[in-house]
Amino acid sequence: QLAMYNTASLLLSDVYAADGRISLTQTPDSTRLPRGRFVFFGGDTAYHVADTATLEKNLCTPFAWALWERQQRDPASTRPDQPRYSFGIPGNHDYYDSLIGFNRLFRYPGSPHLPLADFRRRQRASFVALQLPLGYLFLGLDSQNGKLDRRQRELVNRCLEEHPGQGLIIATPEPATVFGSVVPEATRPFAALNLPRPFLPEPAYPAPN
């Protein structure tokens, strides 16, 4: 809870930069760096089983504490000028609960289950595609054991067709490399989608079309 509370306090706050230093406190000569429009969870949302009770205790409650503290410190800052959203992909600990807790946390917009501070739900599947600024496309894949279902392949292909030439940020629940060694299972989604694999030595992967 303490680690999650510290993370939530940062995510729910504006950040101020001055003289090469970052702070949560505004000063007359500081530059405000506003909060991001969304938060993304990269899998294994709670341990050891990401069920409803564990998610409420280890995730939602610390976020609620952080939001309350911010409201006490700066009431005006808790009235955002635009909505913010939460997105995520499941890891194996989310699957231990058959994605029940995951779905209650990230899906079902308007549901009272597992509210996450002042973030809203918008996701409708266990994977997500987001259009980012500066010409970047963000893809969060549900690729347990390196496998992708038909829906994800169709979504990625459609996104790449509609947004050609954009930079890609790919998030998977398993790391592609561990201590400098490539994890074979984690490379399979990239190969299935014909995506660049810069973590492999050239010319181990074909250039994208």
Side-chain angles (χ1 to χ4, degrees):
Q1 283 187 328
L2 180 57
M4 186 61 68
Y5 168 76
N6 290 333
T7 301
S9 297
L10 178 61
L11 293 176
L12 293 172
S13 301
D14 295 334
V15 175
Y16 300 92
D19 297 327
R21 296 187 177 184
I22 299 296
S23 173
L24 299 181
T25 303
Q26 187 176 15
T27 60
D29 59 342
S30 63
T31 300
R32 175 176 172 264
L33 306 177
R35 287 177 54 193
R37 289 290 307 279
F38 69 91
V39 60
F40 175 79
F41 291 80
D44 290 346
T45 319
Y47 290 93
H48 295 289
V49 178
D51 58 1
T52 299
T54 306
L55 287 169
E56 182 175 12
K57 175 184 176 183
N58 293 345
L59 180 67
C60 297
T61 297
F63 265 81
W65 291 340
L67 180 62
W68 180 87
E69 183 183 61
R70 184 181 177 190
Q71 289 172 337
Q72 304 307 306
R73 184 176 68 246
D74 187 3
S77 69
T78 60
R79 296 192 292 270
D81 53 356
Q82 52 191 352
R84 294 181 171 91
Y85 300 96
S86 60
F87 301 100
I89 54 175
N92 59 326
H93 290 266
D94 298 291
Y95 268 100
Y96 293 161
D97 188 44
S98 301
L99 296 190
I100 295 175
F102 176 91
N103 289 333
R104 287 178 172 176
L105 180 64
F106 294 109
R107 299 176 63 189
Y108 314 141
S111 169
H113 294 295
L114 297 177
L116 189 65
D118 60 349
F119 292 98
R120 301 182 186 181
R121 299 181 181 94
R122 197 172 181 177
Q123 192 167 333
R124 299 186 179 275
S126 59
F127 49 92
V128 63
L130 303 174
Q131 179 65 58
L132 302 182
L134 305 178
Y136 278 90
L137 181 66
F138 179 93
L139 301 174
L141 304 179
D142 176 7
S143 56
Q144 287 297 305
N145 299 319
K147 298 179 180 178
L148 293 171
D149 61 12
R150 174 184 54 82
R151 299 177 306 155
Q152 293 187 78
R153 292 195 298 269
E154 292 179 351
L155 173 66
V156 172
N157 290 332
R158 184 169 69 250
C159 288
L160 295 178
E161 290 176 0
E162 294 176 354
H163 305 280
Q166 291 204 329
L168 290 177
I169 299 175
I170 310 294
T172 61
E174 299 170 318
T177 58
V178 177
F179 297 115
S181 299
V182 175
V183 181
E185 293 80 6
T187 68
R188 293 173 185 168
F190 295 85
L193 298 170
N194 194 31
L195 295 174
R197 284 159 278 168
F199 45 81
L200 295 181
E202 295 183 3
Y205 64 92
N209 296 328

